[in-house]
Amino acid sequence: MSLGHLIPPPLPRAACGGICPRCGGSLYRVQRRPIDRFINIFLPLYRYHCGSLGCDWEGNLLAQQEPPQK
């Protein structure tokens, strides 16, 4: 008996439409760290996480350099 039908699928996260600089996968905006908020006083930053299964890239990109739409 499979338990797959008892476990609900994860809710999809909305991709920001950006492209991962490491693997080319979709990027998702994530909550910034306290140091990111401090740097944001001087440079407008967004924090992103790659949605690709094997990549796991996470980093900051400048707000005016927000990733291009797919």
Side-chain angles (χ1 to χ4, degrees), residues 35-62:
I35 188 69
D36 299 333
R37 293 186 185 279
F38 175 74
I39 295 170
N40 191 53
I41 295 170
F42 307 103
L43 293 170
L45 294 177
Y46 291 125
R47 187 157 190 84
Y48 295 94
H49 181 80
C50 180
S52 294
L53 198 56
C55 181
D56 204 34
W57 178 87
E58 186 169 315
N60 295 323
L61 297 175
L62 291 174

Side-chain angles (χ1 to χ4, degrees), residues 5-23:
H5 67 282
L6 298 176
I7 301 171
L11 295 175
R13 299 186 306 183
C16 75
I19 299 171
C20 174
R22 183 184 291 168
C23 73

